[in-house]
Amino acid sequence: MNDLDFLRTPEGRALLDEVRGTDPAQELAVATRLRRTHPAPLVSAALGQARLRQRAVAKFGAADAGRMFFTPNGVEQSTRASVAAYRAERLHGLGVRSVADLCCGIGGDAIALARAGIRVLAVDRDPLTCEAARANADALGLADLIEVREADVTEVDTAPYDAVFVDPARRGGRGRIFDPEAYSPPLSWAVAAARTASRAAALKVAPGIPHEAVPADAEAEWISDGGDVKEAVLWFGAGAAPGAVRATLLPGPRTLPGTGLPDPEARTPGRYLYEPDGAVVRAHLVAEVAAQVGGGLLDATIAYVTADELLPTPYATAYEITDRMPFNVKKLKALLRERGVGTLTVKKRGSAVEPEELRKKVRPQGPNAATVFLTRVAGAPTMLIGHPAR
């Protein structure tokens, strides 16, 4: 029996309940105690699963993570639940009622699709991963809507399904894979599969995908959640606008469509600095944000927008700038000491200086807070000091 087989037995489930929330520092003591009454492999499996469930809370929430079954790769590579739910609702809104989920992993996307009322064929070639996906469908009461199949995705007939969703593996033995043709399966295969979908298709890709690698007949969407860029999705078929780009921010959702604006001009720094959301930057939509706030760029090569007025936008965070100076650690340290700044947030674009390294050098002390931007203005290394605009 493998670990998941053990853990799904009554004894295994009871043991999982017993080790739930175990402090890592107490694992050895807990393991020693439990091995007096349980087989050592089962104790190790339960403690390992408890650790994975704790890690998975950030992606799946405590309620679901506490019932689901994970593999180490499954936790690392699965889609955050909020992002999967957004994509599932978009597919449902397009009239999709069945999806072939190719490279399904532990079933995170399949779960979101099923909760949106969509029937799912979830396919993966790894036996343990498939077992985890089945266990999760069962644990969350979705087994009637999710069929898990162990197979090579390139050999699956997707014709009976309204839509195709492909999440190619983007990690190898040496870490992240940046070349889309090195994905498993390659992006070219996934695109070909998407084009055969009867109604719609969505391909999950890395947010750093080069724009020139996006097919002309796809709509490209970059998605962030809570300010963190999570993924890009290539949409085909119903509801997709070929050649269009958009940035979607969660929660919300709030979507900023591309309008084809030219890059904004660089200008003298104004009173306010706008930091566009990462999805906006990845989608190359900084010009759209600059137009919303009546601003320009701090530097022609840097994605910071500057303006004279405060015009709130959901697509960027605004800061009021109080000081501007050439990059100089001693002068920054003196200014922070004068202002009594003990909480220093360091942000950078276009600077080689590491934020933690700078904090160690300036050693902020005091009751006040400030934000320093390490960037370039007209090509010159510059520090802008300020605080979130109110």
Side-chain angles (χ1 to χ4, degrees):
M1 296 177 71
N2 62 39
D3 289 354
L4 288 182
D5 284 337
F6 270 126
L7 295 175
R8 296 181 70 190
T9 65
E11 181 184 7
R13 291 182 182 276
L15 196 54
L16 278 173
D17 289 338
E18 191 167 352
V19 301
R20 184 190 304 271
T22 297
D23 186 329
Q26 300 299 316
E27 273 194 12
L28 180 58
V30 170
T32 301
R33 174 175 57 81
L34 292 175
R35 283 170 181 159
R36 296 172 187 151
T37 53
H38 299 278
L42 181 55
V43 173
S44 296
L47 286 169
Q49 193 61 221
R51 287 195 300 272
L52 293 175
R53 285 179 169 182
Q54 289 170 6
R55 287 171 52 194
V57 168
K59 285 190 174 182
F60 291 91
D64 281 353
R67 293 185 289 166
M68 292 172 68
F69 295 87
F70 299 97
T71 64
N73 285 340
V75 173
E76 183 69 27
Q77 299 176 16
S78 57
T79 304
R80 184 178 290 202
S82 55
V83 178
Y86 161 75
R87 185 169 43 244
E89 288 300 329
R90 180 170 175 178
L91 285 167
H92 186 272
L94 295 173
V96 169
R97 297 298 178 265
S98 61
V99 171
D101 177 3
L102 308 181
C103 309
C104 69
I106 60 165
D109 283 284
I111 288 165
L113 290 164
R115 282 176 168 168
I118 297 172
R119 181 171 55 87
V120 185
L121 170 66
V123 184
D124 204 284
R125 66 183 179 184
D126 180 68
L128 182 59
T129 299
C130 286
E131 187 175 349
R134 289 191 192 95
N136 290 333
D138 182 62
L140 299 180
L142 299 169
D144 289 345
L145 283 171
I146 300 174
E147 174 194 348
V148 180
R149 184 182 302 174
E150 181 188 332
D152 185 329
V153 297
T154 65
E155 299 174 359
V156 174
D157 179 13
T158 62
Y161 300 87
D162 296 339
V164 171
F165 172 66
V166 190
D167 182 6
R170 296 178 299 282
R171 287 182 179 271
R174 298 183 178 180
R176 291 183 181 178
I177 297 171
F178 297 98
D179 177 7
E181 283 307 296
Y183 292 173
S184 180
L187 180 62
S188 56
W189 179 89
V191 169
R195 288 172 176 155
T196 67
S198 62
R199 185 163 188 81
L203 310 183
K204 177 180 172 181
V205 295
I209 185 173
H211 280 234
E212 57 269 23
V214 176
D217 57 338
E219 173 188 305
E221 179 179 31
W222 279 262
I223 302 174
S224 68
D225 188 16
D228 296 327
V229 183
K230 292 302 174 186
E231 64 184 57
V233 184
L234 306 184
W235 293 91
F236 297 80
V245 296
R246 64 164 69 188
T248 295
L249 282 55
L250 303 176
R254 296 184 176 91
T255 295
L256 178 67
T259 57
L261 290 176
D263 291 339
E265 297 289 332
R267 51 152 289 179
T268 303
R271 181 176 177 182
Y272 296 97
L273 180 150
Y274 291 84
E275 181 184 27
D277 183 272
V280 171
V281 176
R282 294 283 193 176
H284 295 180
L285 299 180
V286 174
E288 278 71 8
V289 168
Q292 287 186 357
V293 302
L297 296 179
L298 277 176
D299 184 276
T301 62
I302 304 295
Y304 281 141
V305 174
T306 184
D308 299 315
E309 296 184 58
L310 178 59
L311 296 173
T313 170
Y315 304 108
T317 303
Y319 294 84
E320 184 174 6
I321 300 303
T322 57
D323 299 271
R324 169 191 170 189
M325 63 180 69
F327 181 81
N328 186 301
V329 175
K330 289 184 178 180
K331 289 185 178 180
L332 177 63
K333 184 176 181 179
L335 184 145
L336 297 177
R337 185 183 297 116
E338 177 186 332
R339 304 276 172 85
V341 172
T343 302
L344 181 66
T345 300
V346 181
K347 293 177 174 285
K348 69 166 193 169
R349 281 183 183 163
S351 172
V353 178
E354 292 300 325
E356 196 53 44
E357 176 187 340
L358 182 65
R359 284 194 197 90
K360 289 179 181 178
K361 289 182 177 179
V362 300
R363 291 179 291 181
Q365 295 180 14
N368 299 320
T371 300
V372 59
F373 293 87
L374 307 179
T375 187
R376 293 195 301 270
V377 174
T382 301
M383 297 185 297
L384 299 173
I385 299 91
H387 53 77
R390 300 176 182 84

